Amino acid sequence: MELIQRNPQLAAYLAADDVVDHQHPLVRETAARLASGATDAYSYAKAAYEFVRDEIPHSQDAGDLQVTWRASDVLAERTGICCAKSHALAALLRAESIPAALCYQRLADDDGSNPFVHGLVAVRLPGGDAWARIDARGNKPGVDAQFSLDEERLAWKARPEFSEVDYPVLYDVPHPAVMKALKAAPDRPSLWPIYPTEL
């Protein structure tokens, strides 16, 4: 699949905003701590990925009812759904001048029911010319996502027979349909009925 930049300007994928708020002190502090053990952009990106994947539980897995969406809040509360965790990872990458995009899949339950939008991050290391999708959702039995720039190691592969989709667009800002639901939901049980089933 060919990944498509929604914004042709690479600088857009380094920007800070209200969601990917990498100028926030907690994001900066976390990035600096992770960077202190890294030797180059690759090792930093891998460390940031593994931190978000492993140290910030997916709220559904953990039974946490909070809905977070701002990167700094995801780091502070140590919880979030896939899209929120993607915002945190994008912020940590951008904080160290690594272009990061938000991208999505349409997935469903094992029988194809209950479709939902799943959030990913695409990373482009400085000096490189290719984007690579990574999935910091969080591993669990049956899910083994890894940091891999050569061969995708996402939590799930899209199954066309169940109308699952890999969306090719790389967004510099979160998709508005996702943000509308995250901002409107007072808690996670309230989120799922209004959460987008497709983009």
Side-chain angles (χ1 to χ4, degrees), residues 12 14-24 69-72 87 91 94 102 172-174 179:
L14 292 169
D17 60 24
D18 188 44
V19 181
V20 184
D21 58 338
H22 65 74
Q23 293 173 333
H24 188 281
W69 50 267
R70 184 179 287 113
S72 58
H87 301 162
R94 293 182 184 186
L102 301 161
D172 52 320
V173 296
M179 288 310 304

Side-chain angles (χ1 to χ4, degrees), residues 135-157:
D135 189 342
R137 178 227 179 271
N139 289 338
K140 61 179 185 175
V143 175
D144 183 29
Q146 299 294 329
F147 184 82
S148 175
L149 303 185
D150 300 323
E151 177 186 358
E152 284 192 339
R153 298 283 304 277
L154 306 179
W156 294 284
K157 290 184 178 179

Side-chain angles (χ1 to χ4, degrees), residues 79 81 97 124 148 169 177:
T79 192
I81 67 163
S97 301
R124 181 168 164 173
S148 175
V169 177

Side-chain angles (χ1 to χ4, degrees), residues 13 86 90 94 99-103 120-124 131 170-172:
Y13 297 89
S86 293
R94 293 182 184 186
L102 301 161
C103 48
L120 308 168
V121 168
V123 60
R124 181 168 164 173
W131 290 93
L170 303 178
Y171 293 88
D172 52 320

Side-chain angles (χ1 to χ4, degrees), residues 32-164:
R33 181 167 44 81
L34 293 168
S36 69
T39 56
D40 56 18
Y42 177 93
S43 62
Y44 173 79
K46 185 173 189 286
Y49 166 82
E50 291 178 348
F51 172 78
V52 174
R53 183 193 66 187
D54 300 339
E55 301 299 325
I56 300 174
H58 188 289
S59 55
Q60 174 110 356
D61 294 350
D64 194 316
L65 299 183
Q66 294 179 85
V67 175
T68 54
W69 50 267
R70 184 179 287 113
S72 58
D73 290 339
V74 174
L75 295 177
E77 301 299 331
R78 292 293 183 102
T79 192
I81 67 163
C82 56
C83 290
K85 291 184 65 169
S86 293
H87 301 162
L89 177 55
L92 290 173
L93 293 169
R94 293 182 184 186
E96 290 294 317
S97 301
I98 298 174
L102 301 161
C103 48
Y104 303 91
Q105 294 175 304
R106 180 183 193 260
L107 301 176
D109 289 347
D110 288 342
D111 62 358
S113 64
N114 300 313
F116 61 94
V117 171
H118 178 59
L120 308 168
V121 168
V123 60
R124 181 168 164 173
L125 293 185
D129 59 1
W131 290 93
R133 295 190 308 166
I134 51 179
D135 189 342
R137 178 227 179 271
N139 289 338
K140 61 179 185 175
V143 175
D144 183 29
Q146 299 294 329
F147 184 82
S148 175
L149 303 185
D150 300 323
E151 177 186 358
E152 284 192 339
R153 298 283 304 277
L154 306 179
W156 294 284
K157 290 184 178 179
R159 303 167 299 171
E161 65 271 24
F162 290 120
S163 299
E164 294 184 341

